[in-house]
Amino acid sequence: MAGVIPSVLAVFAPARQASYGSDTLRGVKSRNVTTALLGFGMSTGPFADTSSLDDQAALVISHDAFGRSQALDRLFRFLVSCAREGRAPKEIEIAREVFDKEAEDDASIRVHVHRLRRKLDEFYAGPGADFPSRLALPKGGYRLIVVPREVVEAVTLDVKLSWHRSWTIGTTLLLIVAIPGTWWLARQPDAAEAPLATARASRLWSPIVEGERRIALVVGDYYIFGERNRDGDVSRLVREFDVNSSRDLEVRASARGDDARDVIDLGLAYLPVGVGNALRVVVPVVRRNARTEVLSFVIPASKLTPEQLKLTNIVYLGYLSGLGSLRDPLFSGSRFGIGSSYDEIVDRATGRRFLAGSHLDAGTDTPTRDYALIAGFKGVGGNQIVVIGGTRDAALMQAADFATRPETLNQLTRAIGGAEEFEALLAVESLRGVGLRAHLVWAGPRRATKWDGPPQVFPDSSPGATANQASSSGSP
């Protein structure tokens, strides 16, 4: 499918500055600056300019690039001191001097170094984007170097409208499974195009596929951190509702008085199983319009940038609890709200409550009921946003199916009339987590979306949040 998997291009870099020698980088394939730097051999040889190193280090520290992570701050300062001496420290030295450990082969050291590389990349893609040079920590060693901006510009980085370089292991594995299926479906004969063309012309999909904007397929993901045992090894992977980023993890540890070594950011996230099936049925609809292929890409909700939120047409696929930065805009104009948990949807106009039951009766042979929301509304930049969100996997999968079949799309179109912004609530019958069928409970116009309104209250946004608090955020 054109555009879903971005091309990784070979880069032929110009000659380096004299202080680094005269070799050139040829044929480097990378989406990451620090990986590409290996081709320059910059991890060896005497450091040319310690004043530039100190200036760069001061900039990084003054901008609070590591947040509240004291471990990363100690590691960074130690590597700066080593680079100032013109040497690359060994792993055992880092373990002793920074983390007060004696183990020579400690995976946590490499995890922290990985996090440091990532934080440096994030800093120089944000606050440090206009600096003429940058600090980098090339893989294969532990030596900080100063890199001229010409080197950085030689590496192809499409950070605004391409795959984010921090794809997690779980996300990548799921997409490896999901994308080949959608590619196969997209290549089928023209007989399959008739229902797809009907779906594209519907009120739900035509604003998304028409026009010149790229389409971001945003998938709801969840942050996971690790817990260490007494020996310092990671013994458990943990998902907590109020910990959704490395910064949240640092706040949690600080608030609870935990030893910083008890928990660790592993750079991991996971996607619900239902996202793969939802991608399989939605991608063929959005891959083209009536005239040509449509450029699209897939990105986790946690990595959706403000620029993408403003400039691209967006299709969200995931749980209602995984909306990320789309959550407040969706519910600011919605008739519906979240109740005491994300398994409960509240009709704020009537007070009626819809409680999903698949998680309660997952092991029985009795069919149960889940719920899903489908919404279409305008983004802050005049772009179009479609949300297909379910309480659980069965709801998500059936909602994606409902939103792509001509007969059910006709039902939706008749119910919403000529409304430019609209939404629908679906009830889904399921058995042991498998959706059986979906029917329309309610559909109609939405209120105007509030992009600058106050944050709303959700079950995971503050202790003891209730359905009444959720309802108090506004009513139609």
Side-chain angles (χ1 to χ4, degrees):
M1 188 182 73
V4 171
I5 303 180
S7 299
V8 182
L9 303 178
V11 179
F12 294 88
R16 287 173 279 162
Q17 293 184 353
S19 59
Y20 296 118
S22 60
D23 295 339
T24 59
L25 172 66
R26 300 186 181 277
V28 173
K29 297 183 178 181
S30 177
R31 288 176 298 182
N32 184 289
V33 171
T34 56
T35 303
L37 295 176
L38 284 173
F40 285 85
M42 290 185 176
S43 59
T44 60
F47 203 95
D49 188 353
T50 56
S51 63
S52 178
L53 169 72
D54 291 336
D55 291 343
Q56 289 290 332
L59 287 170
V60 171
I61 293 172
S62 66
H63 282 79
D64 195 25
F66 309 123
R68 300 184 183 181
S69 177
Q70 296 181 2
L72 287 185
D73 184 73
R74 291 197 308 270
L75 175 61
F76 177 71
R77 291 174 187 269
F78 176 73
L79 293 180
V80 168
S81 67
C82 292
R84 191 181 293 116
E85 297 169 4
R87 66 186 185 88
K90 297 185 179 298
E91 188 170 300
I92 184 60
E93 185 181 359
I94 297 174
R96 291 172 179 170
E97 299 297 329
V98 179
F99 299 101
D100 194 25
K101 294 183 177 183
E102 294 297 328
E104 184 170 359
D105 186 16
D106 189 335
S108 66
I109 305 300
R110 292 185 288 275
V111 169
H112 278 90
V113 170
H114 169 76
R115 289 183 59 200
L116 178 60
R117 288 192 181 101
R118 189 175 64 188
K119 289 292 186 181
L120 288 174
D121 284 346
E122 290 173 357
F123 171 73
Y124 286 105
D130 295 329
F131 297 162
S133 58
R134 62 158 288 174
L135 284 174
L137 185 58
K139 293 181 180 180
Y142 300 112
R143 176 162 177 196
L144 278 172
I145 59 174
V146 177
V147 185
R149 183 60 68 175
E150 302 93 282
V151 173
V152 179
E153 291 174 351
V155 183
T156 301
L157 290 173
D158 185 8
V159 295
K160 287 189 176 181
L161 296 174
S162 73
W163 286 56
H164 194 282
R165 59 177 167 265
S166 296
W167 267 108
T168 63
I169 297 173
T171 302
T172 304
L173 289 177
L174 179 60
L175 294 180
I176 288 172
V177 173
I179 290 176
T182 58
W183 175 259
W184 175 86
L185 187 58
R187 303 288 294 180
Q188 295 309 295
D190 291 341
E193 284 295 319
L196 293 175
T198 301
R200 293 177 192 127
S202 68
R203 181 68 192 85
L204 179 65
W205 295 111
S206 58
I208 289 287
V209 299
E210 296 298 331
E212 301 300 324
R213 296 181 189 262
R214 297 182 72 185
I215 298 174
L217 293 162
V218 180
V219 292
D221 62 324
Y222 296 91
Y223 176 81
I224 308 173
F225 62 90
E227 279 189 357
R228 291 194 179 105
N229 56 25
R230 293 181 179 180
D231 297 327
D233 298 323
V234 175
S235 58
R236 291 205 311 160
L237 296 179
V238 181
R239 162 66 184 159
E240 289 190 5
F241 293 133
D242 57 348
V243 179
N244 297 296
S245 67
S246 57
R247 188 167 185 89
D248 287 348
L249 182 62
E250 294 168 359
V251 171
R252 169 194 181 276
S254 176
R256 299 186 183 186
D258 294 344
D259 188 323
R261 289 175 290 184
D262 290 344
V263 295
I264 184 171
D265 175 17
L266 299 172
L268 293 178
Y270 75 90
L271 290 176
V273 173
V275 170
N277 186 78
L279 280 170
R280 180 182 63 82
V281 298
V282 167
V283 167
V285 175
V286 302
R287 74 179 179 91
R288 61 176 298 127
N289 56 32
R291 300 175 302 280
T292 185
E293 296 285 328
V294 177
L295 294 177
S296 57
F297 60 101
V298 184
I299 188 171
S302 63
K303 306 301 181 185
L304 185 64
T305 68
E307 292 84 1
Q308 290 164 339
L309 190 60
K310 180 179 180 179
L311 299 175
T312 65
N313 288 338
I314 291 173
V315 178
Y316 173 81
L317 302 169
Y319 286 2
L320 293 173
S321 57
L323 282 156
S325 57
L326 291 168
R327 185 176 63 176
D328 277 330
L330 171 67
F331 287 106
S332 72
S334 177
R335 174 191 179 101
F336 303 99
I338 297 298
S340 57
S341 75
Y342 282 100
D343 291 311
E344 184 181 43
I345 297 175
V346 180
D347 186 333
R348 296 189 282 199
T350 66
R352 185 180 176 187
R353 298 173 184 275
F354 303 88
L355 180 62
S358 65
H359 63 296
L360 301 174
D361 304 307
T364 72
D365 290 325
T366 302
T368 187
R369 180 163 290 185
D370 290 320
Y371 295 93
L373 288 177
I374 298 175
F377 55 97
K378 283 188 176 296
V380 67
N383 51 321
Q384 297 291 329
I385 298 175
V386 164
V387 169
I388 301 176
T391 51
R392 297 281 172 145
D393 284 312
L396 171 58
M397 292 186 286
Q398 286 300 120
D401 186 65
F402 185 98
T404 54
R405 288 190 292 117
E407 57 270 27
T408 47
L409 279 170
N410 286 337
Q411 295 179 32
L412 181 62
T413 299
R414 289 194 299 268
I416 63 179
E420 287 192 0
E421 300 195 0
F422 51 87
E423 62 184 344
L425 175 66
L426 301 182
V428 175
E429 293 182 19
S430 63
L431 180 63
R432 294 189 177 184
V434 178
L436 303 177
R437 61 178 179 175
H439 71 269
L440 197 60
V441 176
W442 185 92
R446 283 171 48 89
R447 293 177 298 139
T449 302
K450 296 179 181 179
W451 287 95
D452 56 353
Q456 301 177 69
V457 177
F458 294 94
D460 56 354
S461 58
S462 63
T466 66
N468 290 334
Q469 288 174 305
S471 300
S472 68
S473 62
S475 58

